[in-house]
Amino acid sequence: DGGITQSPKYLFRKEGQNVTLSCEQNLNHDAMYWYRQDPGQGLRLIYYSQIVNDFQKGDIAEGYSVSREKKESFPLTVTSAQKNPTAFYLCASSLTGAGNTIYFGEGSWLTVV
Amino acid sequence: QKEVEQNSGPLSVPEGAIASLNCTYSDRGSQSFFWYRQYSGKSPELIMFIYSNGDKEDGRFTAQLNKASQYVSLLIRDSQPSDSATYLCAVPDSGAGSYQLTFGKGTKLSVIP
């Protein structure tokens, strides 16, 4: 089936650890995105990529890193520099071009323990 | 900073009534508008998009757009308990080469049986 697969669905991180969230899509979309959602809040853009080997910072990129080595994959690393990482992380993708619909994966819950 | 404003709710309506969800946006150059539905603990799913002033109907859902007033709304007719969710309004960035969406914080809808 076509779609966006995020893993793991639930992840626990110890203080000082880096963790990587996986995102894979088979929709043949050029653009991919990472959003963060805190309880009762809207979605905030962390990073986005419009083409392989290129990505741009969103509104809250500090403490996060990404790579885009393949069209299908856009992993997000939450580094130890991110002081408040507990949140719901959403990967998304779309065709490029203004106004194209963004589709979301099922999300990953990250909790700091 | 582009802004998308929604009443946070909760908006409570009885089953069978019309639910009206509103959204205002700051970017006068925005050309398309999206409504997503997000159930608790799940990722957003697209309900409707609208590009032109006026109304667009899809089943029980009607999106209304007034670009002059920078206002977009979503009407849900014959509301069902299964419509209980948070509804997110999203507006693309009108900047050249930008494919980002700015999301409102969402309106929580509760349909009372």
PDB file of all heavy atoms in Angstrom, chain A residues 33 35 37 41 43 45 48 50 88 90 96-99 101-102 104-105 109, chain B residues 1 32 34 36 38 41-44 46 51 88 92 97 99-101 103-105:
ATOM      1  N   TYR A  33       8.647  16.448   5.204  1.00  0.00           N
ATOM      2  CA  TYR A  33       8.583  17.401   6.310  1.00  0.00           C
ATOM      3  C   TYR A  33       8.615  16.662   7.647  1.00  0.00           C
ATOM      4  O   TYR A  33       8.146  15.525   7.747  1.00  0.00           O
ATOM      5  CB  TYR A  33       7.268  18.198   6.262  1.00  0.00           C
ATOM      6  CG  TYR A  33       6.894  18.756   4.921  1.00  0.00           C
ATOM      7  CD1 TYR A  33       6.280  17.949   3.962  1.00  0.00           C
ATOM      8  CD2 TYR A  33       7.132  20.089   4.608  1.00  0.00           C
ATOM      9  CE1 TYR A  33       5.920  18.463   2.723  1.00  0.00           C
ATOM     10  CE2 TYR A  33       6.761  20.604   3.371  1.00  0.00           C
ATOM     11  CZ  TYR A  33       6.158  19.775   2.432  1.00  0.00           C
ATOM     12  OH  TYR A  33       5.802  20.289   1.215  1.00  0.00           O
ATOM     13  N   TYR A  35       7.207  17.612  11.545  1.00  0.00           N
ATOM     14  CA  TYR A  35       6.491  18.517  12.432  1.00  0.00           C
ATOM     15  C   TYR A  35       6.558  17.978  13.863  1.00  0.00           C
ATOM     16  O   TYR A  35       6.625  16.770  14.089  1.00  0.00           O
ATOM     17  CB  TYR A  35       5.012  18.632  12.045  1.00  0.00           C
ATOM     18  CG  TYR A  35       4.748  19.396  10.772  1.00  0.00           C
ATOM     19  CD1 TYR A  35       4.728  18.743   9.543  1.00  0.00           C
ATOM     20  CD2 TYR A  35       4.513  20.764  10.783  1.00  0.00           C
ATOM     21  CE1 TYR A  35       4.469  19.428   8.365  1.00  0.00           C
ATOM     22  CE2 TYR A  35       4.247  21.462   9.611  1.00  0.00           C
ATOM     23  CZ  TYR A  35       4.234  20.779   8.414  1.00  0.00           C
ATOM     24  OH  TYR A  35       3.981  21.474   7.255  1.00  0.00           O
ATOM     25  N   GLN A  37       4.309  18.237  17.504  1.00  0.00           N
ATOM     26  CA  GLN A  37       3.045  18.666  18.099  1.00  0.00           C
ATOM     27  C   GLN A  37       3.093  18.400  19.597  1.00  0.00           C
ATOM     28  O   GLN A  37       3.339  17.291  20.046  1.00  0.00           O
ATOM     29  CB  GLN A  37       1.863  17.923  17.483  1.00  0.00           C
ATOM     30  CG  GLN A  37       0.515  18.465  17.928  1.00  0.00           C
ATOM     31  CD  GLN A  37      -0.641  17.797  17.219  1.00  0.00           C
ATOM     32  OE1 GLN A  37      -0.607  16.607  16.945  1.00  0.00           O
ATOM     33  NE2 GLN A  37      -1.677  18.561  16.904  1.00  0.00           N
ATOM     34  N   GLN A  41      -1.592  21.797  21.253  1.00  0.00           N
ATOM     35  CA  GLN A  41      -0.959  22.802  20.396  1.00  0.00           C
ATOM     36  C   GLN A  41      -1.048  22.411  18.932  1.00  0.00           C
ATOM     37  O   GLN A  41      -1.318  21.264  18.588  1.00  0.00           O
ATOM     38  CB  GLN A  41       0.515  22.968  20.795  1.00  0.00           C
ATOM     39  CG  GLN A  41       0.720  23.410  22.225  1.00  0.00           C
ATOM     40  CD  GLN A  41       0.148  24.795  22.476  1.00  0.00           C
ATOM     41  OE1 GLN A  41       0.403  25.725  21.715  1.00  0.00           O
ATOM     42  NE2 GLN A  41      -0.633  24.939  23.528  1.00  0.00           N
ATOM     43  N   LEU A  43       0.706  22.263  14.959  1.00  0.00           N
ATOM     44  CA  LEU A  43       1.903  21.630  14.413  1.00  0.00           C
ATOM     45  C   LEU A  43       2.962  22.691  14.142  1.00  0.00           C
ATOM     46  O   LEU A  43       2.669  23.724  13.539  1.00  0.00           O
ATOM     47  CB  LEU A  43       1.568  20.912  13.108  1.00  0.00           C
ATOM     48  CG  LEU A  43       0.953  19.516  13.214  1.00  0.00           C
ATOM     49  CD1 LEU A  43      -0.418  19.555  13.835  1.00  0.00           C
ATOM     50  CD2 LEU A  43       0.905  18.864  11.844  1.00  0.00           C
ATOM     51  N   LEU A  45       6.781  23.302  12.394  1.00  0.00           N
ATOM     52  CA  LEU A  45       7.682  22.725  11.410  1.00  0.00           C
ATOM     53  C   LEU A  45       9.107  22.700  11.936  1.00  0.00           C
ATOM     54  O   LEU A  45       9.644  23.729  12.351  1.00  0.00           O
ATOM     55  CB  LEU A  45       7.604  23.526  10.110  1.00  0.00           C
ATOM     56  CG  LEU A  45       8.420  23.019   8.931  1.00  0.00           C
ATOM     57  CD1 LEU A  45       7.910  21.653   8.472  1.00  0.00           C
ATOM     58  CD2 LEU A  45       8.366  24.021   7.791  1.00  0.00           C
ATOM     59  N   TYR A  48      12.296  20.689   6.600  1.00  0.00           N
ATOM     60  CA  TYR A  48      11.660  20.186   5.401  1.00  0.00           C
ATOM     61  C   TYR A  48      12.697  20.042   4.295  1.00  0.00           C
ATOM     62  O   TYR A  48      13.762  20.675   4.322  1.00  0.00           O
ATOM     63  CB  TYR A  48      10.496  21.078   4.946  1.00  0.00           C
ATOM     64  CG  TYR A  48      10.876  22.478   4.512  1.00  0.00           C
ATOM     65  CD1 TYR A  48      10.990  22.812   3.170  1.00  0.00           C
ATOM     66  CD2 TYR A  48      11.074  23.485   5.465  1.00  0.00           C
ATOM     67  CE1 TYR A  48      11.306  24.104   2.780  1.00  0.00           C
ATOM     68  CE2 TYR A  48      11.389  24.762   5.078  1.00  0.00           C
ATOM     69  CZ  TYR A  48      11.502  25.074   3.745  1.00  0.00           C
ATOM     70  OH  TYR A  48      11.829  26.354   3.358  1.00  0.00           O
ATOM     71  N   GLN A  50      12.891  19.567  -0.071  1.00  0.00           N
ATOM     72  CA  GLN A  50      12.160  19.596  -1.342  1.00  0.00           C
ATOM     73  C   GLN A  50      12.808  18.712  -2.400  1.00  0.00           C
ATOM     74  O   GLN A  50      12.217  18.458  -3.446  1.00  0.00           O
ATOM     75  CB  GLN A  50      12.052  21.030  -1.850  1.00  0.00           C
ATOM     76  CG  GLN A  50      11.244  21.918  -0.913  1.00  0.00           C
ATOM     77  CD  GLN A  50      11.253  23.379  -1.333  1.00  0.00           C
ATOM     78  OE1 GLN A  50      11.809  23.739  -2.350  1.00  0.00           O
ATOM     79  NE2 GLN A  50      10.634  24.214  -0.529  1.00  0.00           N
ATOM     80  N   PHE A  88       4.853  14.659  20.198  1.00  0.00           N
ATOM     81  CA  PHE A  88       4.378  13.796  19.121  1.00  0.00           C
ATOM     82  C   PHE A  88       5.016  14.304  17.835  1.00  0.00           C
ATOM     83  O   PHE A  88       4.877  15.480  17.488  1.00  0.00           O
ATOM     84  CB  PHE A  88       2.851  13.899  19.059  1.00  0.00           C
ATOM     85  CG  PHE A  88       2.169  12.948  18.122  1.00  0.00           C
ATOM     86  CD1 PHE A  88       2.565  11.634  18.011  1.00  0.00           C
ATOM     87  CD2 PHE A  88       1.079  13.371  17.358  1.00  0.00           C
ATOM     88  CE1 PHE A  88       1.911  10.750  17.167  1.00  0.00           C
ATOM     89  CE2 PHE A  88       0.410  12.492  16.514  1.00  0.00           C
ATOM     90  CZ  PHE A  88       0.829  11.184  16.420  1.00  0.00           C
ATOM     91  N   LEU A  90       5.548  14.147  13.752  1.00  0.00           N
ATOM     92  CA  LEU A  90       4.837  13.772  12.540  1.00  0.00           C
ATOM     93  C   LEU A  90       5.699  14.008  11.319  1.00  0.00           C
ATOM     94  O   LEU A  90       6.214  15.103  11.103  1.00  0.00           O
ATOM     95  CB  LEU A  90       3.551  14.592  12.418  1.00  0.00           C
ATOM     96  CG  LEU A  90       2.452  14.205  13.401  1.00  0.00           C
ATOM     97  CD1 LEU A  90       1.492  15.362  13.610  1.00  0.00           C
ATOM     98  CD2 LEU A  90       1.705  12.981  12.905  1.00  0.00           C
ATOM     99  N   THR A  96       5.921  18.627  -4.923  1.00  0.00           N
ATOM    100  CA  THR A  96       6.379  20.008  -4.857  1.00  0.00           C
ATOM    101  C   THR A  96       5.433  20.887  -5.667  1.00  0.00           C
ATOM    102  O   THR A  96       4.686  20.401  -6.496  1.00  0.00           O
ATOM    103  CB  THR A  96       7.809  20.151  -5.401  1.00  0.00           C
ATOM    104  OG1 THR A  96       7.870  19.557  -6.691  1.00  0.00           O
ATOM    105  CG2 THR A  96       8.800  19.489  -4.482  1.00  0.00           C
ATOM    106  N   GLY A  97       5.466  22.187  -5.358  1.00  0.00           N
ATOM    107  CA  GLY A  97       4.533  23.091  -6.011  1.00  0.00           C
ATOM    108  C   GLY A  97       3.584  23.638  -4.980  1.00  0.00           C
ATOM    109  O   GLY A  97       3.091  22.907  -4.120  1.00  0.00           O
ATOM    110  N   ALA A  98       3.330  24.925  -5.080  1.00  0.00           N
ATOM    111  CA  ALA A  98       2.488  25.584  -4.093  1.00  0.00           C
ATOM    112  C   ALA A  98       1.092  24.990  -4.079  1.00  0.00           C
ATOM    113  O   ALA A  98       0.517  24.702  -5.118  1.00  0.00           O
ATOM    114  CB  ALA A  98       2.404  27.073  -4.398  1.00  0.00           C
ATOM    115  N   GLY A  99       0.571  24.781  -2.887  1.00  0.00           N
ATOM    116  CA  GLY A  99      -0.802  24.342  -2.739  1.00  0.00           C
ATOM    117  C   GLY A  99      -1.023  22.859  -2.807  1.00  0.00           C
ATOM    118  O   GLY A  99      -2.169  22.403  -2.755  1.00  0.00           O
ATOM    119  N   THR A 101      -1.274  19.065  -1.507  1.00  0.00           N
ATOM    120  CA  THR A 101      -1.700  18.498  -0.238  1.00  0.00           C
ATOM    121  C   THR A 101      -0.545  17.815   0.462  1.00  0.00           C
ATOM    122  O   THR A 101       0.237  17.091  -0.156  1.00  0.00           O
ATOM    123  CB  THR A 101      -2.823  17.480  -0.473  1.00  0.00           C
ATOM    124  OG1 THR A 101      -3.901  18.141  -1.134  1.00  0.00           O
ATOM    125  CG2 THR A 101      -3.307  16.900   0.847  1.00  0.00           C
ATOM    126  N   ILE A 102      -0.441  18.027   1.750  1.00  0.00           N
ATOM    127  CA  ILE A 102       0.533  17.341   2.582  1.00  0.00           C
ATOM    128  C   ILE A 102      -0.149  16.156   3.247  1.00  0.00           C
ATOM    129  O   ILE A 102      -1.235  16.291   3.822  1.00  0.00           O
ATOM    130  CB  ILE A 102       1.118  18.309   3.632  1.00  0.00           C
ATOM    131  CG1 ILE A 102       2.079  19.286   2.946  1.00  0.00           C
ATOM    132  CG2 ILE A 102       1.825  17.551   4.741  1.00  0.00           C
ATOM    133  CD1 ILE A 102       2.719  20.278   3.887  1.00  0.00           C
ATOM    134  N   PHE A 104       0.285  12.842   5.985  1.00  0.00           N
ATOM    135  CA  PHE A 104       1.019  12.550   7.194  1.00  0.00           C
ATOM    136  C   PHE A 104       1.195  11.059   7.430  1.00  0.00           C
ATOM    137  O   PHE A 104       0.333  10.247   7.064  1.00  0.00           O
ATOM    138  CB  PHE A 104       0.294  13.138   8.411  1.00  0.00           C
ATOM    139  CG  PHE A 104       0.368  14.630   8.488  1.00  0.00           C
ATOM    140  CD1 PHE A 104      -0.593  15.416   7.867  1.00  0.00           C
ATOM    141  CD2 PHE A 104       1.408  15.246   9.162  1.00  0.00           C
ATOM    142  CE1 PHE A 104      -0.518  16.803   7.923  1.00  0.00           C
ATOM    143  CE2 PHE A 104       1.492  16.626   9.226  1.00  0.00           C
ATOM    144  CZ  PHE A 104       0.527  17.400   8.605  1.00  0.00           C
ATOM    145  N   GLY A 105       2.317  10.710   8.065  1.00  0.00           N
ATOM    146  CA  GLY A 105       2.472   9.387   8.632  1.00  0.00           C
ATOM    147  C   GLY A 105       1.687   9.281   9.927  1.00  0.00           C
ATOM    148  O   GLY A 105       1.014  10.238  10.341  1.00  0.00           O
ATOM    149  N   TRP A 109       5.638   8.892  19.089  1.00  0.00           N
ATOM    150  CA  TRP A 109       5.594   9.534  20.403  1.00  0.00           C
ATOM    151  C   TRP A 109       6.969   9.383  21.049  1.00  0.00           C
ATOM    152  O   TRP A 109       7.463   8.274  21.218  1.00  0.00           O
ATOM    153  CB  TRP A 109       4.549   8.866  21.292  1.00  0.00           C
ATOM    154  CG  TRP A 109       3.143   9.116  20.872  1.00  0.00           C
ATOM    155  CD1 TRP A 109       2.387   8.345  20.031  1.00  0.00           C
ATOM    156  CD2 TRP A 109       2.321  10.204  21.278  1.00  0.00           C
ATOM    157  NE1 TRP A 109       1.136   8.890  19.891  1.00  0.00           N
ATOM    158  CE2 TRP A 109       1.066  10.027  20.653  1.00  0.00           C
ATOM    159  CE3 TRP A 109       2.506  11.300  22.119  1.00  0.00           C
ATOM    160  CZ2 TRP A 109       0.007  10.922  20.831  1.00  0.00           C
ATOM    161  CZ3 TRP A 109       1.451  12.186  22.301  1.00  0.00           C
ATOM    162  CH2 TRP A 109       0.226  11.989  21.663  1.00  0.00           C
TER     163      TRP A 109
ATOM    164  N   GLN B   1       5.956  36.650  10.372  1.00  0.00           N
ATOM    165  CA  GLN B   1       5.489  35.312  10.703  1.00  0.00           C
ATOM    166  C   GLN B   1       4.039  35.164  10.245  1.00  0.00           C
ATOM    167  O   GLN B   1       3.178  35.934  10.627  1.00  0.00           O
ATOM    168  CB  GLN B   1       5.592  35.080  12.211  1.00  0.00           C
ATOM    169  CG  GLN B   1       5.122  33.710  12.684  1.00  0.00           C
ATOM    170  CD  GLN B   1       6.115  32.599  12.368  1.00  0.00           C
ATOM    171  OE1 GLN B   1       7.264  32.882  12.053  1.00  0.00           O
ATOM    172  NE2 GLN B   1       5.684  31.375  12.423  1.00  0.00           N
ATOM    173  N   SER B  32      -4.575  28.689  -1.484  1.00  0.00           N
ATOM    174  CA  SER B  32      -5.289  27.444  -1.215  1.00  0.00           C
ATOM    175  C   SER B  32      -5.338  27.214   0.285  1.00  0.00           C
ATOM    176  O   SER B  32      -4.492  27.712   1.025  1.00  0.00           O
ATOM    177  CB  SER B  32      -4.598  26.272  -1.922  1.00  0.00           C
ATOM    178  OG  SER B  32      -3.243  26.208  -1.554  1.00  0.00           O
ATOM    179  N   PHE B  34      -6.600  24.360   3.513  1.00  0.00           N
ATOM    180  CA  PHE B  34      -6.830  22.948   3.807  1.00  0.00           C
ATOM    181  C   PHE B  34      -7.462  22.789   5.185  1.00  0.00           C
ATOM    182  O   PHE B  34      -7.136  23.506   6.126  1.00  0.00           O
ATOM    183  CB  PHE B  34      -5.492  22.181   3.794  1.00  0.00           C
ATOM    184  CG  PHE B  34      -4.783  22.220   2.471  1.00  0.00           C
ATOM    185  CD1 PHE B  34      -3.970  23.295   2.134  1.00  0.00           C
ATOM    186  CD2 PHE B  34      -4.928  21.197   1.557  1.00  0.00           C
ATOM    187  CE1 PHE B  34      -3.321  23.345   0.907  1.00  0.00           C
ATOM    188  CE2 PHE B  34      -4.278  21.227   0.338  1.00  0.00           C
ATOM    189  CZ  PHE B  34      -3.474  22.299   0.016  1.00  0.00           C
ATOM    190  N   TYR B  36      -7.888  19.743   8.013  1.00  0.00           N
ATOM    191  CA  TYR B  36      -7.510  18.411   8.450  1.00  0.00           C
ATOM    192  C   TYR B  36      -8.309  18.070   9.712  1.00  0.00           C
ATOM    193  O   TYR B  36      -8.603  18.928  10.530  1.00  0.00           O
ATOM    194  CB  TYR B  36      -6.018  18.339   8.799  1.00  0.00           C
ATOM    195  CG  TYR B  36      -5.085  18.366   7.611  1.00  0.00           C
ATOM    196  CD1 TYR B  36      -4.735  19.565   7.001  1.00  0.00           C
ATOM    197  CD2 TYR B  36      -4.546  17.184   7.107  1.00  0.00           C
ATOM    198  CE1 TYR B  36      -3.861  19.584   5.915  1.00  0.00           C
ATOM    199  CE2 TYR B  36      -3.670  17.194   6.031  1.00  0.00           C
ATOM    200  CZ  TYR B  36      -3.337  18.399   5.446  1.00  0.00           C
ATOM    201  OH  TYR B  36      -2.474  18.406   4.376  1.00  0.00           O
ATOM    202  N   GLN B  38      -8.121  15.617  13.136  1.00  0.00           N
ATOM    203  CA  GLN B  38      -7.169  14.857  13.929  1.00  0.00           C
ATOM    204  C   GLN B  38      -7.884  14.279  15.145  1.00  0.00           C
ATOM    205  O   GLN B  38      -8.323  15.023  16.031  1.00  0.00           O
ATOM    206  CB  GLN B  38      -5.990  15.733  14.377  1.00  0.00           C
ATOM    207  CG  GLN B  38      -4.907  14.957  15.091  1.00  0.00           C
ATOM    208  CD  GLN B  38      -3.694  15.797  15.446  1.00  0.00           C
ATOM    209  OE1 GLN B  38      -3.779  17.017  15.585  1.00  0.00           O
ATOM    210  NE2 GLN B  38      -2.547  15.145  15.595  1.00  0.00           N
ATOM    211  N   GLY B  41      -4.617  11.481  19.694  1.00  0.00           N
ATOM    212  CA  GLY B  41      -3.518  10.524  19.628  1.00  0.00           C
ATOM    213  C   GLY B  41      -3.180  10.026  18.233  1.00  0.00           C
ATOM    214  O   GLY B  41      -2.311   9.171  18.086  1.00  0.00           O
ATOM    215  N   LYS B  42      -3.867  10.576  17.220  1.00  0.00           N
ATOM    216  CA  LYS B  42      -3.635  10.135  15.847  1.00  0.00           C
ATOM    217  C   LYS B  42      -3.061  11.275  15.020  1.00  0.00           C
ATOM    218  O   LYS B  42      -2.993  12.415  15.457  1.00  0.00           O
ATOM    219  CB  LYS B  42      -4.951   9.642  15.220  1.00  0.00           C
ATOM    220  CG  LYS B  42      -5.624   8.522  15.981  1.00  0.00           C
ATOM    221  CD  LYS B  42      -4.778   7.270  15.986  1.00  0.00           C
ATOM    222  CE  LYS B  42      -5.516   6.118  16.648  1.00  0.00           C
ATOM    223  NZ  LYS B  42      -4.665   4.888  16.699  1.00  0.00           N
ATOM    224  N   SER B  43      -2.666  10.955  13.794  1.00  0.00           N
ATOM    225  CA  SER B  43      -2.120  11.980  12.909  1.00  0.00           C
ATOM    226  C   SER B  43      -3.250  12.667  12.137  1.00  0.00           C
ATOM    227  O   SER B  43      -4.345  12.119  11.995  1.00  0.00           O
ATOM    228  CB  SER B  43      -1.114  11.358  11.943  1.00  0.00           C
ATOM    229  OG  SER B  43      -1.748  10.415  11.107  1.00  0.00           O
ATOM    230  N   PRO B  44      -2.999  13.877  11.638  1.00  0.00           N
ATOM    231  CA  PRO B  44      -4.041  14.595  10.883  1.00  0.00           C
ATOM    232  C   PRO B  44      -4.347  13.903   9.563  1.00  0.00           C
ATOM    233  O   PRO B  44      -3.460  13.350   8.914  1.00  0.00           O
ATOM    234  CB  PRO B  44      -3.406  15.968  10.642  1.00  0.00           C
ATOM    235  CG  PRO B  44      -2.309  16.079  11.650  1.00  0.00           C
ATOM    236  CD  PRO B  44      -1.807  14.694  11.847  1.00  0.00           C
ATOM    237  N   LEU B  46      -6.546  14.635   5.831  1.00  0.00           N
ATOM    238  CA  LEU B  46      -7.169  15.688   5.038  1.00  0.00           C
ATOM    239  C   LEU B  46      -8.672  15.476   4.914  1.00  0.00           C
ATOM    240  O   LEU B  46      -9.134  14.386   4.590  1.00  0.00           O
ATOM    241  CB  LEU B  46      -6.541  15.719   3.642  1.00  0.00           C
ATOM    242  CG  LEU B  46      -7.072  16.799   2.711  1.00  0.00           C
ATOM    243  CD1 LEU B  46      -6.584  18.169   3.187  1.00  0.00           C
ATOM    244  CD2 LEU B  46      -6.619  16.537   1.282  1.00  0.00           C
ATOM    245  N   TYR B  51      -9.773  26.325  -3.123  1.00  0.00           N
ATOM    246  CA  TYR B  51      -8.930  27.308  -3.789  1.00  0.00           C
ATOM    247  C   TYR B  51      -9.689  28.586  -4.156  1.00  0.00           C
ATOM    248  O   TYR B  51      -9.104  29.660  -4.233  1.00  0.00           O
ATOM    249  CB  TYR B  51      -8.343  26.737  -5.086  1.00  0.00           C
ATOM    250  CG  TYR B  51      -7.446  25.551  -4.896  1.00  0.00           C
ATOM    251  CD1 TYR B  51      -7.774  24.323  -5.451  1.00  0.00           C
ATOM    252  CD2 TYR B  51      -6.268  25.653  -4.180  1.00  0.00           C
ATOM    253  CE1 TYR B  51      -6.944  23.231  -5.287  1.00  0.00           C
ATOM    254  CE2 TYR B  51      -5.439  24.569  -4.012  1.00  0.00           C
ATOM    255  CZ  TYR B  51      -5.786  23.358  -4.573  1.00  0.00           C
ATOM    256  OH  TYR B  51      -4.960  22.280  -4.404  1.00  0.00           O
ATOM    257  N   LEU B  88      -8.031  21.079  12.142  1.00  0.00           N
ATOM    258  CA  LEU B  88      -6.910  21.977  11.890  1.00  0.00           C
ATOM    259  C   LEU B  88      -7.081  22.670  10.550  1.00  0.00           C
ATOM    260  O   LEU B  88      -7.318  22.020   9.532  1.00  0.00           O
ATOM    261  CB  LEU B  88      -5.599  21.189  11.879  1.00  0.00           C
ATOM    262  CG  LEU B  88      -5.256  20.373  13.129  1.00  0.00           C
ATOM    263  CD1 LEU B  88      -4.026  19.507  12.863  1.00  0.00           C
ATOM    264  CD2 LEU B  88      -5.008  21.278  14.305  1.00  0.00           C
ATOM    265  N   PRO B  92      -0.970  27.422   2.988  1.00  0.00           N
ATOM    266  CA  PRO B  92       0.389  27.393   2.440  1.00  0.00           C
ATOM    267  C   PRO B  92       1.038  28.765   2.475  1.00  0.00           C
ATOM    268  O   PRO B  92       0.375  29.789   2.329  1.00  0.00           O
ATOM    269  CB  PRO B  92       0.176  26.945   0.986  1.00  0.00           C
ATOM    270  CG  PRO B  92      -1.190  26.391   0.938  1.00  0.00           C
ATOM    271  CD  PRO B  92      -1.966  27.102   1.985  1.00  0.00           C
ATOM    272  N   GLY B  97       8.773  29.587  -4.199  1.00  0.00           N
ATOM    273  CA  GLY B  97       9.539  28.378  -3.926  1.00  0.00           C
ATOM    274  C   GLY B  97       9.271  27.748  -2.584  1.00  0.00           C
ATOM    275  O   GLY B  97       9.932  26.790  -2.196  1.00  0.00           O
ATOM    276  N   TYR B  99       6.933  25.627  -0.019  1.00  0.00           N
ATOM    277  CA  TYR B  99       5.823  24.692  -0.019  1.00  0.00           C
ATOM    278  C   TYR B  99       5.364  24.384   1.395  1.00  0.00           C
ATOM    279  O   TYR B  99       4.761  23.361   1.648  1.00  0.00           O
ATOM    280  CB  TYR B  99       6.242  23.397  -0.728  1.00  0.00           C
ATOM    281  CG  TYR B  99       6.862  23.649  -2.078  1.00  0.00           C
ATOM    282  CD1 TYR B  99       8.088  23.122  -2.419  1.00  0.00           C
ATOM    283  CD2 TYR B  99       6.211  24.444  -3.010  1.00  0.00           C
ATOM    284  CE1 TYR B  99       8.651  23.368  -3.655  1.00  0.00           C
ATOM    285  CE2 TYR B  99       6.773  24.704  -4.247  1.00  0.00           C
ATOM    286  CZ  TYR B  99       7.994  24.154  -4.568  1.00  0.00           C
ATOM    287  OH  TYR B  99       8.549  24.394  -5.786  1.00  0.00           O
ATOM    288  N   GLN B 100       5.658  25.267   2.326  1.00  0.00           N
ATOM    289  CA  GLN B 100       5.308  25.012   3.704  1.00  0.00           C
ATOM    290  C   GLN B 100       3.848  25.304   3.952  1.00  0.00           C
ATOM    291  O   GLN B 100       3.226  26.141   3.317  1.00  0.00           O
ATOM    292  CB  GLN B 100       6.131  25.911   4.622  1.00  0.00           C
ATOM    293  CG  GLN B 100       7.618  25.713   4.540  1.00  0.00           C
ATOM    294  CD  GLN B 100       8.341  26.644   5.464  1.00  0.00           C
ATOM    295  OE1 GLN B 100       8.038  26.699   6.650  1.00  0.00           O
ATOM    296  NE2 GLN B 100       9.276  27.403   4.951  1.00  0.00           N
ATOM    297  N   LEU B 101       3.293  24.573   4.925  1.00  0.00           N
ATOM    298  CA  LEU B 101       1.957  24.850   5.444  1.00  0.00           C
ATOM    299  C   LEU B 101       2.088  25.425   6.844  1.00  0.00           C
ATOM    300  O   LEU B 101       2.875  24.931   7.638  1.00  0.00           O
ATOM    301  CB  LEU B 101       1.117  23.580   5.525  1.00  0.00           C
ATOM    302  CG  LEU B 101       0.452  23.010   4.286  1.00  0.00           C
ATOM    303  CD1 LEU B 101      -0.371  21.784   4.671  1.00  0.00           C
ATOM    304  CD2 LEU B 101      -0.427  24.043   3.612  1.00  0.00           C
ATOM    305  N   PHE B 103      -0.093  25.822  10.183  1.00  0.00           N
ATOM    306  CA  PHE B 103      -1.299  25.249  10.773  1.00  0.00           C
ATOM    307  C   PHE B 103      -1.810  26.133  11.899  1.00  0.00           C
ATOM    308  O   PHE B 103      -1.028  26.706  12.666  1.00  0.00           O
ATOM    309  CB  PHE B 103      -0.993  23.869  11.355  1.00  0.00           C
ATOM    310  CG  PHE B 103      -0.831  22.793  10.326  1.00  0.00           C
ATOM    311  CD1 PHE B 103       0.375  22.608   9.675  1.00  0.00           C
ATOM    312  CD2 PHE B 103      -1.889  21.963  10.012  1.00  0.00           C
ATOM    313  CE1 PHE B 103       0.528  21.625   8.717  1.00  0.00           C
ATOM    314  CE2 PHE B 103      -1.753  20.970   9.062  1.00  0.00           C
ATOM    315  CZ  PHE B 103      -0.539  20.809   8.409  1.00  0.00           C
ATOM    316  N   GLY B 104      -3.131  26.207  12.014  1.00  0.00           N
ATOM    317  CA  GLY B 104      -3.721  26.764  13.216  1.00  0.00           C
ATOM    318  C   GLY B 104      -3.602  25.755  14.343  1.00  0.00           C
ATOM    319  O   GLY B 104      -3.226  24.595  14.118  1.00  0.00           O
ATOM    320  N   LYS B 105      -3.943  26.196  15.552  1.00  0.00           N
ATOM    321  CA  LYS B 105      -3.823  25.300  16.704  1.00  0.00           C
ATOM    322  C   LYS B 105      -4.977  24.315  16.786  1.00  0.00           C
ATOM    323  O   LYS B 105      -4.939  23.375  17.576  1.00  0.00           O
ATOM    324  CB  LYS B 105      -3.718  26.105  17.994  1.00  0.00           C
ATOM    325  CG  LYS B 105      -2.416  26.879  18.099  1.00  0.00           C
ATOM    326  CD  LYS B 105      -2.281  27.591  19.435  1.00  0.00           C
ATOM    327  CE  LYS B 105      -0.940  28.309  19.527  1.00  0.00           C
ATOM    328  NZ  LYS B 105      -0.761  28.983  20.829  1.00  0.00           N
TER     329      LYS B 105
END
